[in-house]
Amino acid sequence: MNRNFKSIMAFGVLALLCSCASKKAATVEVAPAPAAPVQEVEAPKTVQYSVAPDRIANRNVDYDQYFIELDADAAPTRPDSKGFIRRWLLLEPINKPNSGNTVFTDSYILKELTKEYFKGQFDNTIPAIGSTVEVESEAPRAGGRGGFGGFGGGQQAQQPAAPATVKQTLKWHSIDSKLFNIKLFRFAKGVREDKNGYGLIFNAVTVINCEEDMPNVRLAAGSNASSIWWVNGEKVLTLQADRRMVADDGMSQLLTLKKGKNIVRAAIINGPGMSDMCCRFYNEDGSLVKNITITNK
């Protein structure tokens, strides 16, 4: 009987141990996987521009993002680090509402950009800042992008025909460009009441000052679209056809910048598209001309 009691006790202890082990196994908690860290999304940064209140009231703020407008007392400046000329006298643009750019043939460019729209246009003189000229130009056309019939696709609504010509009073502005290329499209939208930047002719003048004669230099220029360039009254470069602006897209033959003032003038035309220009001078050996100053008078 004693042996049987011991067997029963052993069996009971074994059963108790198995039960405890089973309960312990059943109550084991698995720790949850750590949550992925939440990545903070940085708010987009806003570029701040210093714009005078009167500019905000009088023109598109975009103008001040591209240009600094100057008066006649502005100190002389120099080409930028890559030789580009950023100071120009710009005339408010003349209407030339072409509905496309395919018309920019050699003969068309020569005819339209050498046409005298205002008195003294080709006198090789420096226009006074703020002075105005009277121009008779084509009237903007009704319909389409920027007033161009048939541009942009779709059926255009019938509108009364605009008069064939319109008189414009245009003012000369003196600017320093904040970019190496002069954004003529932005200039037009900033100075025109109708904010139109398409189908225009731009006239630009700058003054290059040399301490001595600089022979054997070349004018290198780019424009969107076509352009003609003059140095001291002589036509030195023509960029024809519909083209995007590329630096040094065309180069003049060798010429001489004389001691003292040299007047560089450009005329640029665009159709239903953007417009800009750039220029710089190269020495005969391919180095950039930098030992010059640039003024607006």
Side-chain angles (χ1 to χ4, degrees):
M1 183 156 183
N2 188 33
R3 180 180 298 177
N4 291 337
F5 177 77
K6 289 181 178 179
S7 297
I8 292 171
M9 290 295 293
F11 181 81
V13 171
L14 180 60
L16 180 62
L17 291 174
C18 290
S19 175
C20 292
S22 177
K23 289 180 180 181
K24 185 176 181 180
T27 58
V28 173
E29 295 183 359
V30 179
V38 178
Q39 295 185 354
E40 295 183 1
V41 179
E42 185 177 354
K45 296 180 179 179
T46 301
V47 179
Q48 299 294 331
Y49 295 93
S50 177
V51 181
D54 61 329
R55 288 287 168 78
I56 296 175
N58 295 327
R59 61 164 58 99
N60 193 320
V61 177
D62 280 353
Y63 186 93
D64 300 273
Q65 296 177 13
Y66 294 96
F67 307 108
I68 300 171
E69 196 147 349
L70 308 172
D71 57 27
D73 296 327
T77 188
R78 290 187 177 276
D80 68 13
S81 61
K82 295 185 178 180
F84 289 105
I85 296 168
R86 298 193 182 194
R87 177 165 297 179
W88 291 88
L89 288 153
L90 298 178
L91 181 65
E92 294 173 352
I94 299 169
N95 295 330
K96 189 60 181 174
N98 292 306
S99 59
N101 297 328
T102 56
V103 299
F104 294 161
T105 61
D106 293 4
S107 58
Y108 181 88
I109 294 306
L110 183 63
K111 174 186 174 185
E112 296 302 329
L113 296 187
T114 60
K115 176 181 176 180
E116 187 176 82
Y117 282 93
F118 55 91
K119 186 177 180 180
Q121 183 175 347
F122 298 103
D123 286 353
N124 196 41
T125 56
I126 306 168
I129 300 168
S131 62
T132 60
V133 298
E134 299 296 325
V135 173
E136 185 171 309
S137 66
E138 294 183 38
R141 300 172 189 173
R145 180 180 178 182
F148 300 94
F151 184 82
Q155 186 70 26
Q156 300 295 332
Q158 295 296 319
Q159 299 186 26
T165 61
V166 63
K167 291 185 177 180
Q168 294 181 272
T169 300
L170 307 176
K171 184 170 72 173
W172 284 98
H173 297 254
S174 175
I175 60 95
D176 275 350
S177 174
K178 295 184 179 182
L179 303 175
F180 80 93
N181 55 329
I182 317 305
K183 295 284 190 179
L184 299 172
F185 175 84
R186 299 296 179 185
F187 173 75
K189 289 181 72 68
V191 299
R192 288 177 63 102
E193 291 184 3
D194 61 7
K195 304 299 180 185
N196 176 45
Y198 303 108
L200 303 169
I201 293 175
F202 299 88
N203 285 272
V205 174
T206 193
V207 183
I208 305 298
N209 302 275
C210 303
E211 295 183 356
E212 58 186 8
D213 285 351
M214 299 183 65
N216 299 326
V217 301
R218 298 181 190 272
L219 172 72
S223 66
N224 182 351
S226 300
S227 61
I228 297 180
W229 299 75
W230 294 262
V231 176
N232 294 328
E234 297 293 328
K235 182 161 67 73
V236 298
L237 180 63
T238 302
L239 299 176
Q240 309 99 329
D242 180 22
R243 63 202 307 137
R244 293 185 181 274
M245 195 219 74
V246 178
D248 307 337
D249 198 18
M251 299 189 78
S252 72
Q253 295 184 346
L254 292 173
L255 56 88
T256 296
L257 292 175
K258 64 184 182 180
K259 181 179 179 179
K261 294 182 183 296
N262 297 266
I263 299 175
V264 178
R265 178 176 172 269
I268 305 94
I269 188 171
N270 75 329
M274 305 296 280
S275 187
D276 57 344
M277 68 174 193
C278 68
C279 85
R280 54 186 170 181
F281 284 91
Y282 281 91
N283 293 302
E284 189 176 12
D285 62 5
S287 61
L288 292 168
V289 173
K290 291 187 177 181
N291 56 332
I292 56 177
T293 59
I294 310 160
T295 56
N296 56 15
K297 59 182 180 180

